[in-house]
């Protein structure tokens, strides 16, 4: 991962953390900032999140 992509990925991750913490506006601003740096880095993070969600859902369905 190049520096630009890694930076965008990290900023978008911070944005997701802000949203989870309840600060939607700050989170969205960080994600928008990350998209301006490298949209592909943000896309990769979204794919990771979706993959993690699917894995978590598989474990949640086990009873």
């Amino acid at each position: 991962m190049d520096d630009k992509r890694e930076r965008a990925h990290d900023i978008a991750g911070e944005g997701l953390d802000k949203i989870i913490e309840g600060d939607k506006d700050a989170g969205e601003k960080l994600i928008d900032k990350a998209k301006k740096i490298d949209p592909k880095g943000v896309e990769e993070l979204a794919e990771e999140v979706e993959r993690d969600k699917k894995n978590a859902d598989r474990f949640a369905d086990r009873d």
Side-chain angles (χ1 to χ4, degrees):
M1 200 180 305
D2 65 1
D3 289 340
K4 189 172 149 181
R5 181 157 297 153
E6 188 172 329
R7 184 167 179 248
H9 186 278
D10 290 345
I11 291 170
E14 289 176 34
L16 288 176
D17 289 343
K18 290 286 185 187
I19 292 170
I20 290 167
E21 293 168 2
D23 193 348
K24 184 179 175 189
D25 291 336
E28 288 178 352
K29 285 179 185 176
L30 285 167
I31 292 170
D32 287 342
K33 179 180 178 180
K35 285 179 183 178
K36 289 177 185 174
I37 295 169
D38 185 10
K40 185 70 175 167
V42 176
E43 184 180 316
E44 287 175 357
L45 177 63
E47 291 170 1
E48 287 177 28
V49 168
E50 187 61 32
R51 194 170 41 247
D52 290 347
K53 182 183 178 304
K54 286 180 183 177
N55 287 333
D57 287 345
R58 281 191 303 159
F59 287 108
D61 290 339
R62 292 183 179 181
D63 286 350

